Amino acid sequence: MNTTDALRVLETALICATQPLTVRELGTLFDGEIAPDTLKSMLADLQLQWTGRGVELVQVASGWRFQSRPELRPFLDRLHPEKPPKYSRAAMETLAIIAYRQPVTRGDMEDIRGVTINSMILKQLEDRGWIEVIGHRETVGRPALFATTRQFLDDLGLASLDQLPPLEASEVQESALDRLDFDALSQRLPDEALDDAPVADLLTESADTGAEDPTKETHDDAGHTPPNDG
């Protein structure tokens, strides 16, 4: 099979796929006759071919997929004008703390936010597939350690946690996750009471006061280090 035909096969498979495809899965299209490095090069070529179009080929945490470009979403939203409820500030702050400080316990989150976290918020984030328990901290009560999932990255169009917007002290007036494309997410959490403290302020305040670094507690129940979402 020549390169042109192989690119057509890749393109068709990715367009028709209902979820991201990994390089290994794409390799099965050719019975393993095309090496992974060659497939990656072909995917890069496809990306260039789709430059300037309304749809782009991107790599997210779970693999490769075609998606509409963010700047065109306002037009596509007109096909479905109904607006779901926005995320609550409490839920956004909790998600941001987990994303930037993972792995963290519920106690860590409450220390950073300065208020008790409603159990339903954690359950809603777990049910949505954005966070999960990856182990337990070896301390009194062995509290659960929470981290974000590949689904969280996929829904935001990110390939790894390294692509999260940088958290800087100068941005204390802006929620750390406000710049992420949460409008692309298919479900919303119900409104709850809003807190005034911005997420970036909460997180930088925690770092300045010498809060315990949760990255030192990364072993699961079997003594293994959980995989990074990226």
Side-chain angles (χ1 to χ4, degrees), residues 1-13 30 39 41-46 49:
M1 180 181 296
N2 60 42
T3 301
T4 300
D5 289 340
L7 284 171
R8 289 180 61 199
V9 172
L10 279 178
E11 183 179 57
T12 302
F30 309 100
L39 282 174
S41 178
M42 294 170 66
L43 288 167
D45 290 341
L46 268 183
Q49 290 180 21

Side-chain angles (χ1 to χ4, degrees), residues 58-65 149-150 152-164 228-230:
V58 299
Q59 183 180 17
V60 294
S62 296
W64 292 78
R65 73 181 181 197
T149 64
R150 288 186 181 276
F152 167 75
L153 294 173
D154 286 351
D155 286 350
L156 291 176
L158 304 177
S160 71
L161 291 171
D162 293 337
Q163 294 179 346
L164 285 172
N228 188 298
D229 282 338

